[in-house]
Amino acid sequence: MLLLAAAMLAAPDYHSAIAPILERRCTGCHRKGEIGPMPLETYREVRPWARAIREAVLRKKMPPWFAVSGKFANDPSLTKEEIALIEQWADAKAPEGKPQPRPAAKPPQLPAADLILSTPAPIRIPAKSELEYQYIILQPGFREERWVTRADVRPTDRRAVHHLVVYVRPPGASWLATHAPNQFFTAKPEEGVTTADILAVYTPGSGPMSLPADMARRIAPGSDIVLQIHYNPYGRASQDQPQVHLWFAKTKPRYNVLTLQLNQPRLLIPPFAKDHAETVSGTLPGDALLLSFLPHLHLRGKSFEYRLVAPGGRIESLLKVEPYDFFWQLQYRLETPRPLKKGARLQAEAHWDNSASNPRNPDPSAEVTYCEPSRCEMMIGFFDVAVPADMDKETYFLRR
Ligand code: HEC
């Protein structure tokens, strides 16, 4: 009896209780070559961080996740029990315990990509001072349409990439048409806006774009692939040479997946405003299956909410992200895709803190407008929908 009680009271140890949690929820980022600042794969690596880990999970700082409403398939949050185990373990001075035979928790191995698009040479990233958005046009030379089921964007210096968007530019499009392919360039402000469809978005910790069965993203024959990259210097000069790995469907799927946006370009945030709000809304031109969200604001962002407004005016929150954190541009994938009818009204509301008490605010005295560099703001509510496979973005938006 006494022995049993002692065992029950014994603090959880690293090998039996903590390592499995870290492998499931942390080491994807906290390993060499990934974005976490320190590896957490062995007891020796983890031990010095025990208190910091306790703080990070108790305050829900780690793993990064900011949805306060909605149910999402990729929610990495720890359970109450897991948090309690980590707390008890750290409070008991982080005992090691005995190594346990455990299956190695390696991420599932993907089959080799059907196509790897490489940038021809690395781009230099300075130690300091923000780089303008970098663009590069790649020409895969597709003679037939392709249906992309999975895309994995692989920067070579993940720490330097704030976000990377992979666009599909259909043949004959005028967007960035004056720029030569296969070399990095910067665009003029008026060139940066496009309606080109998005194939994938890479942000720190986002993982590959991977679509459910029967869904894919169409690439029209003759399309170019355009990368748009926002680099964030981090104190050490480096370089990056991103690749995009693509997997294709063997047969035409039932659904084409489109990335749409609730975009508010007419922003005006007054100087020193502590809580400035903007809303924007739009109606869907046709039936669609709602799949996921990716809200985008800059350094003054406080919160972002997507809502569905029913015809009678009743409002349903689909996702609320709070606090909004510029360094975590996360995608939120619905646990169950949501069928929406033609005419469904979606609304986005964002809040900003332009006061001096926002430690990230680059200039509280500025009247802030819309532009790409981090000193300005943006408000884009990206969301993915699935539409019938014979529709592309253009035909989906034709009034029928
Ligand atoms: C999606 C990637 C990602 C995941 C998953 C992740 N981390 Fe992190 N972690 C980071 C990054 C990047 C930082 C540094 C920036 C920051 O603090 O936000 C960080 C910072 C930390 C810190 C603070 C280090 C310091 O300097 O004080 C701790 C502690 C930590 N993580 C523990 C964990 C634990 C424990 C888990 C799992 C429960 C986890 N992280 C999951 C990426 C991640």
Side-chain angles (χ1 to χ4, degrees), residues 263-283:
N263 191 351
Q264 174 53 288
R266 287 180 299 277
L267 286 178
L268 195 69
I269 307 173
F272 305 106
K274 182 123 191 71
D275 185 29
H276 179 77
E278 298 272 354
T279 57
V280 55
S281 65
T283 51

Side-chain angles (χ1 to χ4, degrees), residues 26-218:
C26 317
T27 58
C29 293
H30 288 278
R31 66 168 70 203
K32 212 170 156 284
E34 262 300 341
I35 55 170
M38 69 289 187
L40 294 176
E41 293 187 288
T42 65
Y43 183 69
R44 280 178 68 126
E45 287 167 354
V46 170
R47 178 65 191 91
W49 292 98
R51 290 214 70 79
I53 289 171
R54 177 189 186 276
E55 284 308 295
V57 301
L58 275 178
R59 289 173 34 223
K60 307 251 165 87
K61 263 197 72 192
M62 289 284 147
W65 186 254
F66 304 91
V68 295
S69 71
K71 278 212 158 75
F72 299 93
N74 59 328
D75 183 347
S77 304
L78 301 185
T79 63
K80 277 204 196 71
E81 293 74 27
E82 289 171 329
I83 295 173
L85 279 175
I86 290 176
E87 188 182 10
Q88 291 159 20
W89 169 73
D91 289 347
K93 301 207 163 56
E96 177 172 10
K98 290 222 163 41
Q100 308 272 320
R102 258 183 302 118
K106 290 266 177 330
Q109 285 294 308
L110 297 176
D114 295 315
L115 181 72
I116 299 176
L117 295 173
S118 300
T119 44
I123 176 165
R124 282 177 203 290
I125 301 153
K128 290 192 197 90
S129 81
E130 195 177 352
L131 274 185
E132 275 182 70
Y133 279 20
Q134 300 293 316
Y135 291 84
I136 185 163
I137 300 166
L138 304 173
Q139 298 184 310
F142 293 129
R143 300 222 182 95
E144 291 143 30
E145 67 175 14
R146 295 297 169 106
W147 290 94
V148 178
T149 57
R150 186 193 285 271
D152 192 11
V153 178
R154 301 192 184 166
T156 51
D157 184 357
R158 290 179 188 264
R159 282 188 69 188
V161 180
H162 176 268
H163 75 255
L164 187 160
V165 183
V166 183
Y167 290 97
V168 179
R169 185 175 69 170
S174 58
W175 181 49
L176 305 174
T178 57
H179 297 275
N182 290 318
Q183 60 193 53
F184 287 98
F185 62 90
T186 56
K188 296 192 197 73
E190 63 276 15
E191 285 182 313
V193 181
T194 179
T195 56
D197 205 7
I198 291 173
L199 190 62
V201 177
Y202 169 87
T203 58
S206 64
M209 180 289 282
S210 176
L211 294 172
D214 254 353
M215 294 186 189
R217 291 177 188 264
R218 181 175 183 267

